[in-house]
Amino acid sequence: MRQSEIKELSIEELKERLAELKKQHADLKMAHAVTPLENPLQIRKTRRTVARLATEITKRELQ
């Protein structure tokens, strides 16, 4: 998810998306611990997207 896409979302959509991605990240980490993932870079991509969403939510709340 790109930064330009994140800026277009409302705060409610950001929070929903953040919850979904946090769950997805936890699932990926658990799956990778059991058996190695075919593409472990998915974990990094998901983690960074979670951080981008959290940063945007904090930024909007402070304004």
Short mmCIF file of all heavy atoms in Angstrom, two decimals:
data_model
loop_
_atom_site.label_atom_id
_atom_site.label_comp_id
_atom_site.label_asym_id
_atom_site.label_seq_id
_atom_site.Cartn_x
_atom_site.Cartn_y
_atom_site.Cartn_z
N MET A 1 0.85 -1.17 0.00
CA MET A 1 0.00 0.00 0.00
C MET A 1 0.89 1.23 0.00
O MET A 1 1.76 1.41 0.85
CB MET A 1 -0.89 -0.03 1.24
CG MET A 1 -1.93 1.00 1.26
SD MET A 1 -3.12 0.67 2.56
CE MET A 1 -4.58 1.00 1.68
N ARG A 2 0.67 2.08 -0.95
CA ARG A 2 1.51 3.28 -1.08
C ARG A 2 1.02 4.41 -0.19
O ARG A 2 -0.13 4.43 0.23
CB ARG A 2 1.49 3.75 -2.53
CG ARG A 2 2.10 2.76 -3.47
CD ARG A 2 2.01 3.26 -4.89
NE ARG A 2 2.55 2.25 -5.79
CZ ARG A 2 3.69 2.40 -6.45
NH1 ARG A 2 4.38 3.48 -6.34
NH2 ARG A 2 4.12 1.44 -7.22
N GLN A 3 1.91 5.34 0.08
CA GLN A 3 1.58 6.48 0.93
C GLN A 3 0.44 7.31 0.33
O GLN A 3 -0.42 7.79 1.05
CB GLN A 3 2.83 7.35 1.14
CG GLN A 3 2.68 8.39 2.21
CD GLN A 3 2.49 7.80 3.60
OE1 GLN A 3 2.96 6.71 3.89
NE2 GLN A 3 1.80 8.51 4.45
N SER A 4 0.42 7.44 -0.98
CA SER A 4 -0.64 8.21 -1.63
C SER A 4 -2.00 7.55 -1.42
O SER A 4 -3.01 8.22 -1.25
CB SER A 4 -0.35 8.37 -3.13
OG SER A 4 -0.24 7.10 -3.74
N GLU A 5 -2.04 6.22 -1.40
CA GLU A 5 -3.28 5.50 -1.15
C GLU A 5 -3.72 5.67 0.30
O GLU A 5 -4.91 5.79 0.59
CB GLU A 5 -3.10 4.01 -1.45
CG GLU A 5 -2.82 3.70 -2.90
CD GLU A 5 -2.43 2.25 -3.12
OE1 GLU A 5 -2.24 1.51 -2.13
OE2 GLU A 5 -2.29 1.86 -4.28
N ILE A 6 -2.76 5.68 1.19
CA ILE A 6 -3.06 5.82 2.62
C ILE A 6 -3.66 7.19 2.91
O ILE A 6 -4.61 7.31 3.69
CB ILE A 6 -1.80 5.57 3.47
CG1 ILE A 6 -1.38 4.10 3.35
CG2 ILE A 6 -2.01 5.95 4.92
CD1 ILE A 6 -0.07 3.76 3.99
N LYS A 7 -3.15 8.22 2.29
CA LYS A 7 -3.63 9.58 2.53
C LYS A 7 -5.06 9.77 2.09
O LYS A 7 -5.77 10.63 2.61
CB LYS A 7 -2.72 10.59 1.84
CG LYS A 7 -1.38 10.74 2.51
CD LYS A 7 -0.54 11.79 1.84
CE LYS A 7 0.79 11.93 2.55
NZ LYS A 7 1.64 12.95 1.98
N GLU A 8 -5.53 8.97 1.13
CA GLU A 8 -6.89 9.10 0.61
C GLU A 8 -7.93 8.47 1.53
O GLU A 8 -9.11 8.77 1.43
CB GLU A 8 -6.98 8.48 -0.78
CG GLU A 8 -6.17 9.20 -1.82
CD GLU A 8 -6.15 8.48 -3.16
OE1 GLU A 8 -6.77 7.39 -3.27
OE2 GLU A 8 -5.50 9.00 -4.08
N LEU A 9 -7.51 7.59 2.44
CA LEU A 9 -8.44 6.88 3.31
C LEU A 9 -8.89 7.75 4.48
O LEU A 9 -8.14 8.61 4.94
CB LEU A 9 -7.78 5.61 3.85
CG LEU A 9 -7.37 4.56 2.82
CD1 LEU A 9 -6.62 3.43 3.52
CD2 LEU A 9 -8.56 4.01 2.08
N SER A 10 -10.10 7.49 4.96
CA SER A 10 -10.58 8.19 6.15
C SER A 10 -9.95 7.53 7.38
O SER A 10 -9.39 6.44 7.30
CB SER A 10 -12.10 8.10 6.24
OG SER A 10 -12.49 6.78 6.55
N ILE A 11 -10.08 8.19 8.53
CA ILE A 11 -9.47 7.66 9.74
C ILE A 11 -10.09 6.32 10.16
O ILE A 11 -9.40 5.43 10.64
CB ILE A 11 -9.50 8.69 10.89
CG1 ILE A 11 -8.59 8.26 12.03
CG2 ILE A 11 -10.86 8.91 11.41
CD1 ILE A 11 -7.58 9.27 12.40
N GLU A 12 -11.41 6.16 9.92
CA GLU A 12 -12.07 4.90 10.25
C GLU A 12 -11.54 3.78 9.35
O GLU A 12 -11.30 2.66 9.81
CB GLU A 12 -13.59 5.02 10.08
CG GLU A 12 -14.26 5.93 11.09
CD GLU A 12 -14.16 7.40 10.71
OE1 GLU A 12 -13.96 7.71 9.52
OE2 GLU A 12 -14.27 8.25 11.61
N GLU A 13 -11.38 4.08 8.07
CA GLU A 13 -10.84 3.10 7.13
C GLU A 13 -9.40 2.73 7.50
O GLU A 13 -9.00 1.57 7.40
CB GLU A 13 -10.88 3.63 5.70
CG GLU A 13 -12.29 3.77 5.14
CD GLU A 13 -12.33 4.49 3.80
OE1 GLU A 13 -11.48 5.36 3.55
OE2 GLU A 13 -13.23 4.16 3.01
N LEU A 14 -8.64 3.73 7.93
CA LEU A 14 -7.26 3.47 8.34
C LEU A 14 -7.22 2.51 9.53
O LEU A 14 -6.42 1.57 9.55
CB LEU A 14 -6.55 4.77 8.72
CG LEU A 14 -6.15 5.69 7.59
CD1 LEU A 14 -5.63 7.01 8.15
CD2 LEU A 14 -5.11 5.05 6.71
N LYS A 15 -8.09 2.73 10.49
CA LYS A 15 -8.12 1.88 11.68
C LYS A 15 -8.55 0.45 11.33
O LYS A 15 -8.00 -0.51 11.86
CB LYS A 15 -9.02 2.48 12.76
CG LYS A 15 -8.40 3.71 13.39
CD LYS A 15 -9.25 4.30 14.47
CE LYS A 15 -8.58 5.52 15.07
NZ LYS A 15 -9.35 6.12 16.14
N GLU A 16 -9.53 0.32 10.43
CA GLU A 16 -9.97 -1.01 10.00
C GLU A 16 -8.84 -1.74 9.28
O GLU A 16 -8.56 -2.91 9.54
CB GLU A 16 -11.16 -0.90 9.04
CG GLU A 16 -12.46 -0.50 9.68
CD GLU A 16 -13.57 -0.30 8.66
OE1 GLU A 16 -13.42 -0.76 7.50
OE2 GLU A 16 -14.58 0.31 9.02
N ARG A 17 -8.19 -1.03 8.39
CA ARG A 17 -7.10 -1.61 7.59
C ARG A 17 -5.93 -2.00 8.51
O ARG A 17 -5.31 -3.03 8.32
CB ARG A 17 -6.66 -0.58 6.57
CG ARG A 17 -5.77 -1.09 5.52
CD ARG A 17 -6.57 -1.73 4.41
NE ARG A 17 -5.64 -1.96 3.31
CZ ARG A 17 -5.40 -3.17 2.82
NH1 ARG A 17 -6.07 -4.20 3.22
NH2 ARG A 17 -4.52 -3.31 1.87
N LEU A 18 -5.66 -1.16 9.52
CA LEU A 18 -4.59 -1.44 10.47
C LEU A 18 -4.87 -2.73 11.23
O LEU A 18 -3.98 -3.58 11.37
CB LEU A 18 -4.43 -0.27 11.44
CG LEU A 18 -3.33 -0.40 12.48
CD1 LEU A 18 -1.97 -0.51 11.82
CD2 LEU A 18 -3.37 0.77 13.44
N ALA A 19 -6.10 -2.91 11.68
CA ALA A 19 -6.46 -4.14 12.40
C ALA A 19 -6.30 -5.37 11.51
O ALA A 19 -5.77 -6.40 11.94
CB ALA A 19 -7.88 -4.04 12.92
N GLU A 20 -6.74 -5.26 10.26
CA GLU A 20 -6.61 -6.37 9.31
C GLU A 20 -5.14 -6.74 9.10
O GLU A 20 -4.78 -7.92 9.11
CB GLU A 20 -7.22 -6.00 7.96
CG GLU A 20 -8.71 -5.86 7.94
CD GLU A 20 -9.22 -5.29 6.61
OE1 GLU A 20 -8.44 -5.22 5.64
OE2 GLU A 20 -10.39 -4.90 6.56
N LEU A 21 -4.32 -5.72 8.87
CA LEU A 21 -2.91 -5.97 8.58
C LEU A 21 -2.15 -6.50 9.79
O LEU A 21 -1.23 -7.30 9.64
CB LEU A 21 -2.25 -4.72 8.02
CG LEU A 21 -2.61 -4.41 6.57
CD1 LEU A 21 -2.07 -3.05 6.16
CD2 LEU A 21 -2.09 -5.49 5.65
N LYS A 22 -2.52 -6.05 10.99
CA LYS A 22 -1.87 -6.58 12.19
C LYS A 22 -2.17 -8.07 12.33
O LYS A 22 -1.28 -8.86 12.66
CB LYS A 22 -2.35 -5.84 13.44
CG LYS A 22 -1.65 -4.53 13.66
CD LYS A 22 -2.08 -3.91 14.98
CE LYS A 22 -1.30 -2.65 15.27
NZ LYS A 22 -1.67 -2.06 16.56
N LYS A 23 -3.42 -8.46 12.05
CA LYS A 23 -3.78 -9.88 12.11
C LYS A 23 -3.04 -10.66 11.03
O LYS A 23 -2.51 -11.74 11.30
CB LYS A 23 -5.28 -10.05 11.94
CG LYS A 23 -5.72 -11.50 12.04
CD LYS A 23 -7.21 -11.64 11.94
CE LYS A 23 -7.72 -13.07 12.00
NZ LYS A 23 -6.81 -14.15 11.81
N GLN A 24 -2.97 -10.10 9.83
CA GLN A 24 -2.26 -10.76 8.73
C GLN A 24 -0.78 -10.94 9.07
O GLN A 24 -0.19 -11.98 8.82
CB GLN A 24 -2.42 -9.95 7.44
CG GLN A 24 -1.74 -10.57 6.25
CD GLN A 24 -1.86 -9.71 5.00
OE1 GLN A 24 -2.47 -8.64 5.02
NE2 GLN A 24 -1.26 -10.16 3.93
N HIS A 25 -0.18 -9.91 9.68
CA HIS A 25 1.23 -9.98 10.05
C HIS A 25 1.46 -11.08 11.09
O HIS A 25 2.42 -11.86 10.98
CB HIS A 25 1.69 -8.62 10.58
CG HIS A 25 3.15 -8.59 10.91
ND1 HIS A 25 3.59 -8.59 12.20
CD2 HIS A 25 4.25 -8.58 10.12
CE1 HIS A 25 4.91 -8.58 12.20
NE2 HIS A 25 5.34 -8.57 10.94
N ALA A 26 0.59 -11.15 12.09
CA ALA A 26 0.72 -12.19 13.10
C ALA A 26 0.57 -13.58 12.49
O ALA A 26 1.33 -14.51 12.83
CB ALA A 26 -0.32 -11.98 14.20
N ASP A 27 -0.38 -13.73 11.57
CA ASP A 27 -0.57 -15.02 10.90
C ASP A 27 0.65 -15.40 10.08
O ASP A 27 1.07 -16.56 10.08
CB ASP A 27 -1.81 -14.98 10.00
CG ASP A 27 -3.11 -14.87 10.78
OD1 ASP A 27 -3.10 -15.13 12.00
OD2 ASP A 27 -4.14 -14.51 10.17
N LEU A 28 1.22 -14.43 9.37
CA LEU A 28 2.41 -14.71 8.56
C LEU A 28 3.58 -15.14 9.44
O LEU A 28 4.31 -16.08 9.10
CB LEU A 28 2.80 -13.49 7.74
CG LEU A 28 1.98 -13.19 6.49
CD1 LEU A 28 2.38 -11.83 5.91
CD2 LEU A 28 2.18 -14.28 5.45
N LYS A 29 3.76 -14.46 10.56
CA LYS A 29 4.86 -14.80 11.46
C LYS A 29 4.69 -16.21 12.03
O LYS A 29 5.65 -16.98 12.12
CB LYS A 29 4.96 -13.79 12.60
CG LYS A 29 5.60 -12.49 12.18
CD LYS A 29 5.65 -11.47 13.28
CE LYS A 29 6.43 -11.95 14.47
NZ LYS A 29 6.54 -10.96 15.54
N MET A 30 3.45 -16.55 12.38
CA MET A 30 3.19 -17.88 12.93
C MET A 30 3.41 -18.95 11.86
O MET A 30 4.04 -19.97 12.12
CB MET A 30 1.74 -17.96 13.44
CG MET A 30 1.41 -19.28 14.08
SD MET A 30 2.40 -19.67 15.53
CE MET A 30 1.72 -18.53 16.70
N ALA A 31 2.93 -18.69 10.66
CA ALA A 31 3.10 -19.65 9.55
C ALA A 31 4.59 -19.83 9.24
O ALA A 31 5.04 -20.94 8.95
CB ALA A 31 2.34 -19.17 8.33
N HIS A 32 5.34 -18.75 9.31
CA HIS A 32 6.77 -18.82 9.01
C HIS A 32 7.53 -19.58 10.10
O HIS A 32 8.51 -20.26 9.82
CB HIS A 32 7.34 -17.41 8.84
CG HIS A 32 8.75 -17.39 8.36
ND1 HIS A 32 9.12 -17.90 7.15
CD2 HIS A 32 9.89 -16.93 8.94
CE1 HIS A 32 10.42 -17.75 6.99
NE2 HIS A 32 10.92 -17.17 8.08
N ALA A 33 7.07 -19.48 11.32
CA ALA A 33 7.72 -20.19 12.42
C ALA A 33 7.51 -21.70 12.30
O ALA A 33 8.40 -22.49 12.62
CB ALA A 33 7.19 -19.70 13.75
N VAL A 34 6.33 -22.09 11.81
CA VAL A 34 6.01 -23.51 11.68
C VAL A 34 6.73 -24.11 10.48
O VAL A 34 7.45 -25.09 10.59
CB VAL A 34 4.48 -23.71 11.56
CG1 VAL A 34 4.15 -25.16 11.29
CG2 VAL A 34 3.79 -23.21 12.81
N THR A 35 6.50 -23.51 9.32
CA THR A 35 7.19 -23.94 8.10
C THR A 35 7.62 -22.68 7.35
O THR A 35 6.82 -21.74 7.24
CB THR A 35 6.29 -24.77 7.18
OG1 THR A 35 5.13 -24.01 6.84
CG2 THR A 35 5.86 -26.06 7.84
N PRO A 36 8.81 -22.63 6.85
CA PRO A 36 9.28 -21.43 6.15
C PRO A 36 8.37 -21.04 5.00
O PRO A 36 7.91 -21.89 4.24
CB PRO A 36 10.66 -21.83 5.63
CG PRO A 36 11.09 -22.94 6.53
CD PRO A 36 9.84 -23.66 6.92
N LEU A 37 8.08 -19.75 4.91
CA LEU A 37 7.24 -19.23 3.83
C LEU A 37 8.00 -19.27 2.51
O LEU A 37 9.23 -19.19 2.47
CB LEU A 37 6.84 -17.79 4.12
CG LEU A 37 5.89 -17.53 5.28
CD1 LEU A 37 5.70 -16.04 5.47
CD2 LEU A 37 4.57 -18.20 5.05
N GLU A 38 7.22 -19.36 1.45
CA GLU A 38 7.82 -19.32 0.11
C GLU A 38 8.44 -17.95 -0.14
O GLU A 38 9.50 -17.84 -0.74
CB GLU A 38 6.74 -19.63 -0.93
CG GLU A 38 7.27 -19.85 -2.32
CD GLU A 38 6.20 -20.33 -3.25
OE1 GLU A 38 5.50 -21.30 -2.91
OE2 GLU A 38 6.05 -19.72 -4.32
N ASN A 39 7.76 -16.90 0.33
CA ASN A 39 8.26 -15.54 0.15
C ASN A 39 8.28 -14.83 1.52
O ASN A 39 7.31 -14.16 1.87
CB ASN A 39 7.38 -14.78 -0.85
CG ASN A 39 7.93 -13.41 -1.17
OD1 ASN A 39 9.01 -13.05 -0.72
ND2 ASN A 39 7.19 -12.64 -1.92
N PRO A 40 9.37 -14.95 2.29
CA PRO A 40 9.41 -14.33 3.61
C PRO A 40 9.43 -12.81 3.58
O PRO A 40 9.23 -12.17 4.61
CB PRO A 40 10.68 -14.89 4.23
CG PRO A 40 11.51 -15.34 3.08
CD PRO A 40 10.56 -15.73 2.00
N LEU A 41 9.64 -12.21 2.43
CA LEU A 41 9.61 -10.75 2.34
C LEU A 41 8.20 -10.19 2.55
O LEU A 41 8.04 -9.00 2.80
CB LEU A 41 10.17 -10.29 0.99
CG LEU A 41 11.66 -10.58 0.77
CD1 LEU A 41 12.09 -10.11 -0.61
CD2 LEU A 41 12.50 -9.93 1.83
N GLN A 42 7.19 -11.05 2.48
CA GLN A 42 5.82 -10.63 2.78
C GLN A 42 5.72 -10.11 4.20
O GLN A 42 4.97 -9.17 4.47
CB GLN A 42 4.84 -11.80 2.62
CG GLN A 42 4.63 -12.28 1.23
CD GLN A 42 3.76 -13.53 1.20
OE1 GLN A 42 3.77 -14.32 2.16
NE2 GLN A 42 3.02 -13.71 0.14
N ILE A 43 6.47 -10.72 5.11
CA ILE A 43 6.44 -10.31 6.51
C ILE A 43 6.94 -8.88 6.64
O ILE A 43 6.32 -8.04 7.30
CB ILE A 43 7.29 -11.26 7.38
CG1 ILE A 43 6.70 -12.67 7.35
CG2 ILE A 43 7.38 -10.75 8.81
CD1 ILE A 43 7.57 -13.72 8.01
N ARG A 44 8.06 -8.58 5.98
CA ARG A 44 8.62 -7.23 6.04
C ARG A 44 7.66 -6.21 5.42
O ARG A 44 7.43 -5.14 5.98
CB ARG A 44 9.96 -7.18 5.32
CG ARG A 44 10.59 -5.81 5.41
CD ARG A 44 11.84 -5.60 4.60
NE ARG A 44 12.55 -6.80 4.21
CZ ARG A 44 13.56 -6.80 3.37
NH1 ARG A 44 14.00 -5.68 2.85
NH2 ARG A 44 14.18 -7.91 3.03
N LYS A 45 7.09 -6.55 4.29
CA LYS A 45 6.17 -5.65 3.59
C LYS A 45 4.96 -5.34 4.47
O LYS A 45 4.55 -4.18 4.60
CB LYS A 45 5.73 -6.28 2.28
CG LYS A 45 4.85 -5.41 1.44
CD LYS A 45 4.50 -6.11 0.13
CE LYS A 45 3.53 -5.28 -0.67
NZ LYS A 45 3.05 -5.98 -1.86
N THR A 46 4.40 -6.37 5.10
CA THR A 46 3.24 -6.18 5.96
C THR A 46 3.59 -5.34 7.18
O THR A 46 2.84 -4.44 7.56
CB THR A 46 2.69 -7.55 6.41
OG1 THR A 46 2.45 -8.35 5.26
CG2 THR A 46 1.40 -7.39 7.17
N ARG A 47 4.75 -5.61 7.79
CA ARG A 47 5.18 -4.86 8.97
C ARG A 47 5.34 -3.38 8.65
O ARG A 47 4.92 -2.51 9.42
CB ARG A 47 6.49 -5.44 9.50
CG ARG A 47 6.97 -4.79 10.77
CD ARG A 47 8.28 -5.36 11.26
NE ARG A 47 9.37 -4.95 10.38
CZ ARG A 47 10.21 -5.79 9.77
NH1 ARG A 47 10.09 -7.09 9.90
NH2 ARG A 47 11.18 -5.33 9.01
N ARG A 48 5.92 -3.09 7.50
CA ARG A 48 6.14 -1.69 7.12
C ARG A 48 4.83 -0.99 6.78
O ARG A 48 4.67 0.20 7.06
CB ARG A 48 7.13 -1.63 5.96
CG ARG A 48 8.51 -2.00 6.44
CD ARG A 48 9.54 -1.90 5.36
NE ARG A 48 10.85 -2.22 5.91
CZ ARG A 48 11.95 -2.30 5.20
NH1 ARG A 48 11.92 -2.05 3.90
NH2 ARG A 48 13.09 -2.60 5.77
N THR A 49 3.89 -1.71 6.19
CA THR A 49 2.58 -1.12 5.90
C THR A 49 1.84 -0.81 7.20
O THR A 49 1.19 0.23 7.32
CB THR A 49 1.75 -2.05 5.01
OG1 THR A 49 2.49 -2.33 3.81
CG2 THR A 49 0.44 -1.40 4.62
N VAL A 50 1.95 -1.71 8.18
CA VAL A 50 1.35 -1.46 9.49
C VAL A 50 1.93 -0.18 10.09
O VAL A 50 1.20 0.67 10.61
CB VAL A 50 1.58 -2.66 10.45
CG1 VAL A 50 1.27 -2.29 11.89
CG2 VAL A 50 0.74 -3.85 10.00
N ALA A 51 3.24 -0.01 9.98
CA ALA A 51 3.88 1.19 10.52
C ALA A 51 3.42 2.44 9.79
O ALA A 51 3.19 3.48 10.42
CB ALA A 51 5.40 1.05 10.42
N ARG A 52 3.28 2.36 8.47
CA ARG A 52 2.80 3.51 7.70
C ARG A 52 1.39 3.92 8.14
O ARG A 52 1.09 5.11 8.29
CB ARG A 52 2.79 3.19 6.21
CG ARG A 52 4.13 3.24 5.57
CD ARG A 52 4.00 3.09 4.05
NE ARG A 52 5.31 2.85 3.50
CZ ARG A 52 5.77 1.67 3.10
NH1 ARG A 52 5.00 0.60 3.16
NH2 ARG A 52 6.99 1.54 2.63
N LEU A 53 0.52 2.94 8.31
CA LEU A 53 -0.85 3.23 8.73
C LEU A 53 -0.89 3.83 10.12
O LEU A 53 -1.58 4.82 10.37
CB LEU A 53 -1.70 1.96 8.68
CG LEU A 53 -2.03 1.42 7.29
CD1 LEU A 53 -2.67 0.05 7.40
CD2 LEU A 53 -2.94 2.35 6.53
N ALA A 54 -0.12 3.27 11.04
CA ALA A 54 -0.08 3.78 12.41
C ALA A 54 0.46 5.20 12.44
O ALA A 54 -0.06 6.05 13.18
CB ALA A 54 0.77 2.87 13.29
N THR A 55 1.45 5.47 11.63
CA THR A 55 2.02 6.82 11.56
C THR A 55 1.00 7.81 11.05
O THR A 55 0.86 8.92 11.58
CB THR A 55 3.27 6.82 10.66
OG1 THR A 55 4.22 5.91 11.20
CG2 THR A 55 3.87 8.21 10.56
N GLU A 56 0.26 7.44 10.02
CA GLU A 56 -0.75 8.34 9.44
C GLU A 56 -1.88 8.59 10.44
O GLU A 56 -2.35 9.72 10.57
CB GLU A 56 -1.31 7.73 8.14
CG GLU A 56 -2.28 8.63 7.43
CD GLU A 56 -1.65 9.92 6.87
OE1 GLU A 56 -0.43 9.95 6.62
OE2 GLU A 56 -2.41 10.90 6.68
N ILE A 57 -2.29 7.57 11.17
CA ILE A 57 -3.34 7.74 12.18
C ILE A 57 -2.87 8.72 13.27
O ILE A 57 -3.59 9.64 13.64
CB ILE A 57 -3.74 6.38 12.80
CG1 ILE A 57 -4.50 5.54 11.77
CG2 ILE A 57 -4.59 6.58 14.05
CD1 ILE A 57 -4.73 4.11 12.19
N THR A 58 -1.66 8.54 13.76
CA THR A 58 -1.11 9.44 14.78
C THR A 58 -1.00 10.86 14.25
O THR A 58 -1.36 11.82 14.96
CB THR A 58 0.29 8.94 15.22
OG1 THR A 58 0.17 7.59 15.69
CG2 THR A 58 0.86 9.83 16.30
N LYS A 59 -0.56 10.99 13.03
CA LYS A 59 -0.41 12.31 12.41
C LYS A 59 -1.74 13.04 12.34
O LYS A 59 -1.84 14.22 12.66
CB LYS A 59 0.17 12.13 11.01
CG LYS A 59 0.41 13.38 10.24
CD LYS A 59 1.04 13.02 8.91
CE LYS A 59 0.88 14.13 7.90
NZ LYS A 59 1.36 13.74 6.56
N ARG A 60 -2.78 12.31 11.95
CA ARG A 60 -4.12 12.93 11.84
C ARG A 60 -4.71 13.26 13.20
O ARG A 60 -5.41 14.25 13.35
CB ARG A 60 -5.07 12.01 11.07
CG ARG A 60 -4.71 11.93 9.61
CD ARG A 60 -5.75 11.17 8.86
NE ARG A 60 -5.32 10.91 7.49
CZ ARG A 60 -6.07 10.33 6.59
NH1 ARG A 60 -7.30 9.95 6.89
NH2 ARG A 60 -5.63 10.12 5.37
N GLU A 61 -4.46 12.42 14.19
CA GLU A 61 -4.99 12.69 15.52
C GLU A 61 -4.33 13.90 16.16
O GLU A 61 -4.95 14.59 16.97
CB GLU A 61 -4.83 11.47 16.42
CG GLU A 61 -5.78 10.35 16.02
CD GLU A 61 -5.58 9.08 16.85
OE1 GLU A 61 -4.53 8.97 17.55
OE2 GLU A 61 -6.43 8.18 16.75
N LEU A 62 -3.09 14.19 15.83
CA LEU A 62 -2.39 15.33 16.39
C LEU A 62 -2.77 16.64 15.72
O LEU A 62 -2.49 17.71 16.27
CB LEU A 62 -0.87 15.12 16.31
CG LEU A 62 -0.33 14.00 17.19
CD1 LEU A 62 1.16 13.83 16.96
CD2 LEU A 62 -0.60 14.29 18.65
N GLN A 63 -3.40 16.57 14.58
CA GLN A 63 -3.79 17.80 13.88
C GLN A 63 -5.07 18.37 14.41
O GLN A 63 -5.93 17.78 14.89
CB GLN A 63 -3.93 17.55 12.39
CG GLN A 63 -2.62 17.36 11.72
CD GLN A 63 -2.77 17.14 10.21
OE1 GLN A 63 -3.88 16.93 9.72
NE2 GLN A 63 -1.68 17.18 9.50
#
